[in-house]
Each structure stands twice: as structure tokens, then as C-alpha cells.
Amino acid sequence: MRTALLQSSGQLGSVAENLKGLDDAAGRAAAAGAGLLVAPELFLTGYAIGDDIPRLAEPADGPSAAAIAEIAVRHGVAVAYGYPERDGGGHLPLERSRERGKVFNAVQLIGPDGARLANYRKTHLFGCFERDHFTPGEQAVVQAELGGLRIGLMICYDVEFPENVRAHALAGTDLLLVPTAQMHPFQFVADSVVPVRAFENQMYVAYVNRVGKEGEFEFVGLSTLAGPDGVARARAGRDEQLVFGDADPEFLAASRENNPYLRDRRPGLYASLI
């Protein structure tokens, strides 16, 4: 599956403008033969929106999900996007925004037919900013079938926990989508950790970052699609880009046959990890 990685921070606080950016990227992705477009963490609203998070949060089936379903159908491409998810309610005035449900840092995958295929809530929140504004999710492995591949969902900091990615490997994830907001000075995660995760778990990992300064944060870009051999199939720089890479199920099957990591595990020795 040809996969398009949208490295962009969009426009801070403007859902309407970010939907336009997603529409444009979906058109370019489809023109390049991609079947899947992946946008960064919290792409729908921006990351550094602070107290606006509750106001801009939407339910998984909210108006932006409907708009993105129309984009997916119009261009014939699946779309994965990060957004703040309100559990049990839609838009509310700021003074009432905490009265209805919790807010999660989420990613949703919508198929090329407009169907909502999967929704994942970030399980490992990074730093005081995220812990102050979001509730952690409780489901580690969320998957969907798309284009002959089993797609898994994760967000940013989640991929830095090897147990998280191994759980996906054991559940049969072929292509792990990781919308992210990776900040300076942690660029070694994109450079080194992500390709290693792909190799040690025998899967493709699409790690799609924000870029540039946003409030107090500086995002480093370097989005990548890493293969099960640990080699980057796509690698962005440090500016806004749409880059492409292929997740090949035949190569993946051959790599899994030749790599013994998952077969050679001895789970009985690992009980102390939990």
C-alpha cells in the first residue's frame, strides 16, 4: 500500500483551515497513487492550543469526522488524523466544556468509502501539558483491515514503550500508524527508535510528525515510514512535506519468515515485566 505522510502543523486553532489542508493533501496523495494518508498528532486543531482543547474537542462521530469522510470518498483514499476527542459530547462553551465527558488525545482512521474504521486514544501521555489536558486511553491495541493489511494505531510517546509495539506485533499488526508531535531535542526517536521498533517487531511503522515552532514547542519533523528490515522507505526533512513510501505485504511476509524474533520469544521468562 502506497502511504502518504503529511508532515505539517497546519494552522493553530483553526479546524476549518486544517480540513482544507487535509483535503489538499488527500488530493495530492491520490494523484500519486497512495491508498492511505496519515496526518500528525492533533492535526485537526493544532497541538499547543492549551485551554482551547476542551472547546475544540469533538466526538469521534462529530462534524469533522463527517467532513473527513467526504474528503476520503472524494479522493478515494483512506485518512488517519489526530484530533482531541470528546467522550459523550460535542462542542461546548469553554466555561461548560468540562461538564460533559472526558477529552482524549485521539487518532481516527476513515476508509476510502467514508466508513469510520478505527479510533484510538493515546495511552501514554507525555509531560505536564498532556496530563493536564487529556485523559489517558485504556486500550493498547486498536486495529482495522485496509487494503490487505492489518493497520494498527498509536500516538507519539506510545511508540517509545517497547511493550506497546510488541503487543501490536503479537496481535498481527502489519502497518502501525503513529501520528506524532515529536519535539526538540528528542529527534533520535525518529532517527533511531522507530526503525528499530519496525525491525524488532517485524512490521511497517509510519511515524508522522508536526514541524516548526508552535507556542512553547519546537517540532522536529523527520517523519518516516520504516520497514521490517529497519530501513526507511520514506524520510522527510524539517519543513512541511508530503512524502510517500510503500508497505509491501509480500516483502513483509518474507521478512517475517527470515527473522526469528517473534518465534524465539520465551514469554515465561518475562513475567516480571508486569
Side-chain angles (χ1 to χ4, degrees):
M1 177 184 294
R2 192 153 177 78
T3 303
L5 282 57
L6 175 59
Q7 179 166 286
S8 171
S9 289
Q11 186 165 320
L12 191 65
S14 178
V15 172
E17 288 301 315
N18 293 332
L19 286 172
K20 289 180 183 178
L22 203 58
D23 189 17
D24 175 73
R28 289 187 286 147
L36 171 62
L37 170 67
V38 187
E41 181 176 3
L42 295 174
F43 179 77
L44 190 62
T45 59
Y47 186 91
I49 55 174
D51 289 339
D52 268 350
I53 289 173
R55 180 179 64 82
L56 294 175
E58 299 183 24
D61 61 353
S64 291
I68 293 169
E70 292 180 1
I71 290 170
V73 170
R74 183 162 57 253
H75 298 292
V77 60
V79 179
Y81 65 98
Y83 73 109
E85 180 197 354
R86 174 168 301 289
D87 184 24
H91 290 292
L92 289 174
L94 181 59
E95 64 272 14
R96 295 186 55 236
S97 60
R98 296 187 184 276
E99 293 179 11
R100 189 189 302 167
K102 301 174 181 178
V103 177
F104 299 89
N105 185 338
V107 55
Q108 182 153 228
L109 174 64
I110 294 180
D113 61 353
R116 293 172 47 240
L117 300 180
N119 190 77
Y120 169 80
R121 296 165 170 176
K122 189 173 186 177
T123 53
H124 297 76
L125 301 180
F126 179 79
C128 295
F129 176 81
E130 291 188 10
R131 289 193 291 269
D132 286 346
H133 290 95
F134 297 106
T135 297
E138 295 297 332
Q139 187 174 357
V141 177
V142 173
Q143 298 170 309
E145 301 295 326
L146 179 69
L149 293 172
R150 183 167 294 179
I151 307 296
L153 301 177
M154 196 173 281
I155 299 174
C156 197
Y157 194 40
D158 291 328
V159 82
E160 298 175 40
F161 292 81
E163 302 90 342
N164 245 25
V165 187
R166 181 52 54 88
H168 269 275
L170 296 176
T173 292
D174 300 315
L175 171 58
L176 183 63
L177 309 184
V178 190
T180 190
Q182 183 63 65
M183 309 160 191
H184 177 81
F186 305 111
Q187 50 266 32
F188 66 89
V189 175
D191 286 335
S192 302
V193 174
V194 169
V196 169
R197 289 286 178 271
F199 178 71
E200 68 189 3
N201 290 289
Q202 287 300 287
M203 62 175 62
Y204 288 92
V205 179
Y207 186 80
V208 187
N209 200 9
R210 306 179 69 81
V211 66
K213 290 188 176 181
E214 190 175 315
E216 63 184 287
F217 307 108
E218 181 181 352
F219 302 112
V220 299
L222 304 176
S223 300
T224 187
L225 175 64
D229 53 359
V231 175
R233 301 302 195 275
R235 171 75 76 180
R238 292 178 179 255
D239 54 359
E240 295 213 353
Q241 292 179 259
L242 185 68
V243 297
F244 300 88
D246 294 318
D248 182 348
E250 293 185 3
F251 181 84
L252 179 60
S255 182
R256 286 173 170 172
E257 180 64 27
N258 292 327
N259 187 303
Y261 277 160
L262 298 182
R263 294 191 301 272
D264 288 350
R265 293 173 65 251
R266 298 181 61 191
L269 299 178
Y270 312 146
S272 63
L273 292 177
I274 56 172

